[in-house]
Amino acid sequence: AAGVIQSPRHLIKEKRETATLKCYPIPRHDTVYWYQQGPGQDPQFLISFYEKMQSDKGSIPDRFSAQQFSDYHSELNMSSLELGDSALYFCASSPLTSGGAKNIQYFGAGTRLSVL
Amino acid sequence: DQQVKQNSPSLSVQEGRISILNCDYTNSMFDYFLWYKKYPAEGPTFLISISSIKDKNEDGRFTVFLNKSAKHLSLHIVPSQPGDSAVYFCAASADAGGTSYGKLTFGQGTILTVHP
């Protein structure tokens, strides 16, 4: 079965550079979520999109922006990178369902960003 | 403010025995709870979930119990197998209303080691 695809898997950047992370949700999933997991931490919610509109926002720095495109893939853009941005970035997708299966989020393998 | 807490950083059990992983939450708005399993360098994999209208959900070797009054849930794995060794995250979400489903709030994770 198709899963959530994230690219790239690994990314190395210098401070003050920009980075773009991509996420391709499971087919027919219309909601995308982004999470950041720092070393030894639990995943923290950044932002989500439903039907190409931002649906919720967490503790995402102003230097970060994201969007969901017409084919439902999403991109997380990160500018003026700082050392503290080094983390695993996960994308998850979920289908619009009702009943007991609501909000099962399926995660990609993540992008490991290292800022030097 | 850690709204979802997994107070045991690690758990070690013998193969064939029961593994019990615990999770507590503080936000009474949470109405859907999930358990994820995570291997290093991979994204979280969905295991099992439970809605707040139920107190038990079972899927094969995995059973999740929810005690709403205590704001406590647990994951039982029986019998435990060496392949179950991984980090287990408890997560919770609240119905965001309308067509948007809520972000996941994660616990800190519990490292489960199953010894042959």
Side-chain angles (χ1 to χ4, degrees):
Chain A
V4 177
I5 306 295
Q6 289 188 247
S7 67
R9 289 295 312 275
H10 303 275
L11 192 55
I12 299 175
K13 291 286 185 179
E14 301 276 338
K15 279 195 307 184
R16 292 180 288 278
E17 285 190 321
T18 61
T20 298
L21 280 56
K22 297 186 179 182
C23 170
Y24 297 85
I26 293 171
R28 292 180 295 282
H29 284 197
D30 46 22
T31 306
V32 168
Y33 305 80
W34 286 96
Y35 294 84
Q36 177 192 58
Q37 185 179 23
Q41 313 251 324
D42 50 284
Q44 296 288 319
F45 171 73
L46 291 177
I47 195 167
S48 62
F49 293 88
Y50 166 70
E51 282 292 344
K52 293 150 277 184
M53 298 287 289
Q54 181 181 308
S55 54
D56 197 2
K57 196 171 181 180
S59 41
I60 181 170
D62 292 340
R63 300 178 288 107
F64 293 7
S65 65
Q67 57 182 322
Q68 186 179 32
F69 294 85
S70 57
D71 63 351
Y72 294 102
H73 94 272
S74 178
E75 294 184 3
L76 177 65
N77 298 293
M78 310 158 71
S79 62
S80 303
L81 287 169
E82 301 174 357
L83 296 178
D85 296 329
S86 296
L88 264 172
Y89 291 83
F90 291 110
C91 171
S93 72
S94 68
L96 177 63
T97 63
S98 60
K102 74 171 185 179
N103 205 24
I104 296 176
Q105 296 182 22
Y106 297 90
F107 285 77
T111 294
R112 181 172 293 282
L113 173 66
S114 298
V115 181
L116 306 178
Chain B
D1 175 31
Q2 191 76 28
Q3 297 186 57
V4 178
K5 297 179 184 178
Q6 294 176 254
N7 292 316
S8 298
S10 62
L11 175 67
S12 181
V13 300
Q14 206 68 32
E15 180 179 8
R17 305 295 290 270
I18 185 171
S19 296
I20 300 176
L21 296 101
N22 294 302
C23 177
D24 298 292
Y25 62 96
T26 58
N27 189 340
S28 57
M29 297 300 292
F30 289 145
D31 65 349
Y32 198 66
F33 304 89
L34 309 90
W35 284 94
Y36 285 86
K37 176 181 179 181
K38 187 179 181 302
Y39 294 114
E42 293 185 14
T45 300
F46 170 73
L47 274 178
I48 192 168
S49 62
I50 188 166
S51 168
S52 59
I53 61 173
K54 295 184 175 181
D55 56 16
K56 177 182 175 181
N57 188 27
E58 193 171 353
D59 184 1
R61 296 186 298 116
F62 302 93
T63 302
V64 56
F65 295 92
L66 175 63
N67 183 332
K68 277 185 64 179
S69 60
K71 293 190 175 67
H72 176 84
L73 63 155
S74 61
L75 173 68
H76 292 210
I77 306 173
V78 56
S80 302
Q81 300 172 354
D84 295 330
S85 298
V87 179
Y88 288 77
F89 285 99
C90 168
S93 70
D95 191 343
T99 54
S100 173
Y101 292 103
K103 63 189 178 188
L104 294 180
T105 300
F106 285 86
Q108 309 95 312
T110 297
I111 301 171
L112 173 65
T113 303
V114 181
H115 299 282

